[in-house]
């Protein structure tokens, strides 16, 4: 399996209610916006992502500065399920798999994505996990699940599908698969960790 056979959907249409501002437009210690960083990470892994964005200029403008493909999510959408289904409908027909990646996972690296893309066998759902085995994101769905993904709506996402179907777990380093940035406190703790992390 190669990256060319797998479409990557980056979910970036959320409203960041718990953050109090749009977290995807916040700057990282590197100077990039979080959304820019996530797109550049996917591009570095060898894929061009389909980015689900709302109908507002700032996020769309950031996507337009990259080679990513924007997918506009309606302002009447209810949540993650709507974002996923909207993006799935525009994907090419000849893909073997679909990776769903949340945009507020700051530690997922290009190496992490390449490892998942390489391991995916085209038959079984592959889900990232922590080193201890706690399920997280991203998740790669075989193409046969496309109808179920296209039918999603509301804010649940693909949770029920992940519960009802066989899933293989692939461990990523540390907490990469589960560390998200939902609140200002999350961001502060994560940023302090980045700034004190030894440079390689």
């Amino acid at each position: 399996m190669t990256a060319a056979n797998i479409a990557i959907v980056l979910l970036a249409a959320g409203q960041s209610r718990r953050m109090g501002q749009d977290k995807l437009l916040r700057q990282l210690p590197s100077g990039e916006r979080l959304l820019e960083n996530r797109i550049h990470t996917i591009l570095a892994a060898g894929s061009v992502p389909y980015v689900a964005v709302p109908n507002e200029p700032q996020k769309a403008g950031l996507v337009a500065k990259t080679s990513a493909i924007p997918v506009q999510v309606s302002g009447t959408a209810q949540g993650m399920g709507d974002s996923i289904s909207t993006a799935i409908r525009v994907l090419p027909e000849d893909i073997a798999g679909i990776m769903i990646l949340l945009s507020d996972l700051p530690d997922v690296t290009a190496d992490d994505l390449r490892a998942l893309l390489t391991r995916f066998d085209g038959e079984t759902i592959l889900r990232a996990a922590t080193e201890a085995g706690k399920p997280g994101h991203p998740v790669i769905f075989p193409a046969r699940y496309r109808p179920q993904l296209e039918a999603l709506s509301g804010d649940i996402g693909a949770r029920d599908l992940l519960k009802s179907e066989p899933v293989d777990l692939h461990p990523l380093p540390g907490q990469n698969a589960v560390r998200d940035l939902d609140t200002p406190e999350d961001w502060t703790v994560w940023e302090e960790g980045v700034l004190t992390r030894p440079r390689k």
Side-chain angles (χ1 to χ4, degrees):
M1 196 62 57
T2 67
N5 301 114
I6 303 168
I8 298 183
V9 172
L10 181 65
L11 300 180
Q15 298 182 14
S16 306
R17 290 187 180 94
R18 293 172 62 191
M19 183 66 71
Q21 66 181 103
D22 196 328
K23 57 189 171 185
L24 300 185
L25 299 177
R26 287 188 63 165
Q27 277 194 331
L28 303 177
S30 64
E32 289 181 300
R33 308 285 183 179
L34 179 56
L35 178 56
E36 290 176 300
N37 178 272
R38 297 296 79 200
I39 291 172
H40 292 154
T41 297
I42 297 169
L43 294 173
S47 295
V48 177
Y50 293 78
V51 185
V53 291
N55 183 21
E56 60 91 4
Q58 285 184 289
K59 285 181 182 176
L62 289 181
V63 176
K65 293 178 181 178
T66 73
S67 57
I69 301 167
V71 179
Q72 185 173 312
V73 178
S74 168
T76 61
Q78 298 297 309
M80 186 186 297
D82 298 281
S83 293
I84 293 173
S85 60
T86 299
I88 298 301
R89 293 187 189 107
V90 305
L91 299 181
E93 293 295 331
D94 58 348
I95 54 175
I98 302 161
M99 176 186 282
I100 306 294
L101 176 58
L102 308 181
S103 53
D104 64 348
L105 298 173
D107 292 338
V108 172
T109 68
D111 285 343
D112 292 339
L113 297 179
R114 281 190 288 264
L116 287 160
L117 293 169
T118 299
R119 179 173 168 182
F120 179 63
D121 63 7
E123 297 296 329
T124 305
I125 297 172
L126 182 63
R127 184 172 190 178
T130 65
E131 291 176 332
K134 180 180 179 180
H137 290 87
V139 181
I140 308 180
F141 295 90
R144 70 174 180 275
Y145 291 105
R146 184 169 184 157
Q148 292 98 313
L149 295 172
E150 287 184 358
L152 293 176
S153 62
D155 198 36
I156 296 177
R159 187 185 310 160
D160 290 344
L161 189 57
L162 291 171
K163 289 180 178 179
S164 63
E165 297 296 318
V167 176
D168 285 339
L169 296 180
H170 179 83
L172 300 182
Q175 300 295 305
N176 291 11
V178 297
R179 181 180 289 113
D180 57 7
L181 302 177
D182 280 338
T183 68
E185 292 75 22
D186 292 339
W187 191 287
T188 298
V189 171
W190 172 80
E191 191 170 60
E192 289 175 350
V194 170
L195 293 174
T196 59
R197 194 175 298 167
R199 293 187 178 183
K200 295 182 180 180

